[in-house]
Amino acid sequence: MRVTKFEHAALTLVEADRTLVIDPGNFTSPLGLERVVAVVITHEHPDHWTPAHLTRILSAFPDTPIFAPEGVARAASDFAITVVHPGDRVEADPFTLEFFGGRHAVIHESIPVIDNVGVLVNDEFYYPGDSYAVPAGKPVQLLAAPVGAPWLKIGEAMDFVLAVAPRRAFGTHDMTLSVIGRDMGRSRLTWAVEQGGGEFVVLDPGDGTDL
């Protein structure tokens, strides 16, 4: 399985020439995609999905299922959303998707907390969306770890990586950071993943790694 990072939170996973798209939001350039079989949207914020991205995907790959929590179904009411909840496990051949968490991390007490799901793909790759939801009891081979956000404190992000203890990790959710800030965050997550004997992988937009 090939995992590719794009700008900000967007990711693609390719297995057996089929593609899973995760969180194509408004900080992400149009994606060149082939044989899309599913889209996962972790939550409703526009940096994780846009009508334009979904329309482009569905125009090229009609009837592609979109898996997302209830908040996305309300925000994206013009699209057919398959609502998923923490604990759900669904198939989009050749991908198995299992969902965790349920709530977005707190930004500020004045801002309502919304639905958010983390997704574990093929029992190997995990992305938490905008949360620190840990896939308890699941050995994660590759973790996409958020490194910059209004809700993120780098010490908490480090604790999240320590709790997941993946074999490998890379930083994502990073378009709001300067180059200096991104690299500082990466260095902290490098320390965290190495505490469990893992390895940090530096991925810039368009870079990928294999599982």
Side-chain angles (χ1 to χ4, degrees), residues 3-159:
V3 179
T4 301
K5 171 188 163 51
F6 293 92
E7 296 99 341
H8 198 53
L11 306 162
T12 63
L13 288 76
V14 176
E15 175 79 7
D17 295 324
R18 292 173 174 82
T19 303
L20 170 70
V21 181
I22 301 176
D23 280 0
N26 63 1
F27 298 152
T28 303
S29 303
L31 303 172
L33 300 169
E34 296 183 359
R35 301 188 70 182
V36 175
V37 296
V39 178
V40 171
I41 301 172
T42 60
H43 64 283
E44 65 200 70
H45 287 157
D47 57 326
H48 292 257
W49 81 280
T50 68
H53 274 300
L54 292 188
T55 298
R56 190 176 295 110
I57 292 169
L58 293 173
S59 294
F61 308 97
D63 302 319
T64 298
I66 302 168
F67 300 103
E70 291 180 3
V72 174
R74 292 190 294 268
S77 58
D78 290 340
F79 299 90
I81 305 295
T82 299
V83 173
V84 291
H85 303 90
D88 287 351
R89 190 174 174 95
V90 301
E91 301 289 335
D93 186 47
F95 302 103
T96 299
L97 313 175
E98 187 171 359
F99 297 94
F100 295 86
R103 303 299 281 169
H104 192 287
V106 174
I107 300 172
H108 186 263
E109 63 182 10
S110 66
I111 300 173
V113 178
I114 61 171
D115 297 331
N116 178 96
V117 290
V119 60
L120 179 69
V121 182
N122 289 356
D123 294 315
E124 292 185 306
F125 169 81
Y126 184 64
Y127 171 59
D130 282 10
S131 80
Y132 298 122
V134 174
K138 303 289 185 176
V140 174
Q141 297 301 306
L142 180 64
L143 172 68
V147 71
W151 51 270
L152 187 149
K153 178 181 176 181
I154 195 61
E156 294 173 347
M158 293 164 69
D159 285 340

Side-chain angles (χ1 to χ4, degrees), residues 125-126 140-146 157 160-162 164-172 186 189-194 197-203 209 211:
F125 169 81
Y126 184 64
V140 174
Q141 297 301 306
L142 180 64
L143 172 68
F160 167 69
V161 174
L162 288 168
V164 176
R167 188 172 68 84
R168 290 187 296 154
F170 66 91
T172 188
R186 285 174 172 176
L189 297 190
T190 297
W191 176 89
V193 73
E194 288 177 348
E199 174 190 6
F200 189 84
V201 181
V202 174
L203 297 183
T209 188
L211 277 166

